[in-house]
């Protein structure tokens, strides 16, 4: 009886630890996805900014050359 109770208590404890580890892993995955999306947005904005600067420079250069 005592051994059975100890086994059940151990199984319960291990299940709780597994559930907690899974919850933490899920949070980490969500955070990773959020960071990746944030990085992609920043790269896109940087690209658009540089492209617009080059486009503006090209237009100004054409006006000067005419």
């Amino acid at each position: 009886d005592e051994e059975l109770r100890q086994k059940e208590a151990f199984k319960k404890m291990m299940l709780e630890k597994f559930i907690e580890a899974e919850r933490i892993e899920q949070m980490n995955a969500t955070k990773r996805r959020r960071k990746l999306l944030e990085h992609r947005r920043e790269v896109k904005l940087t690209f658009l900014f540089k492209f617009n600067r080059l486009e503006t420079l090209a237009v100004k250069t054409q006006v000067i050359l005419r």
Side-chain angles (χ1 to χ4, degrees):
D1 265 351
E2 180 61 29
E3 188 177 329
L4 183 60
R5 276 193 293 263
Q6 287 178 351
K7 283 183 181 179
E8 288 300 318
F10 179 75
K11 283 169 50 176
K12 182 180 178 186
M13 180 184 70
M14 293 306 291
L15 182 59
E16 288 171 355
K17 284 186 176 193
F18 175 76
I19 290 170
E20 179 65 11
E22 188 65 25
R23 184 185 70 80
I24 290 170
E25 180 59 33
Q26 186 66 33
M27 281 187 348
N28 289 340
T30 301
K31 186 176 179 180
R32 237 184 342 265
R33 272 193 305 276
R34 194 176 317 123
K35 290 280 188 186
L36 180 62
L37 290 174
E38 181 181 319
H39 176 71
R40 285 181 182 166
R41 270 193 307 271
E42 289 174 2
V43 168
K44 184 177 180 180
L45 287 174
T46 301
F47 172 79
L48 290 173
F49 177 74
K50 287 184 178 186
F51 179 78
N52 285 337
R53 277 187 30 207
L54 288 174
E55 191 174 46
T56 302
L57 182 62
V59 168
K60 286 180 180 178
T61 303
Q62 287 178 358
V63 169
I64 292 171
L65 293 177
R66 288 183 182 182

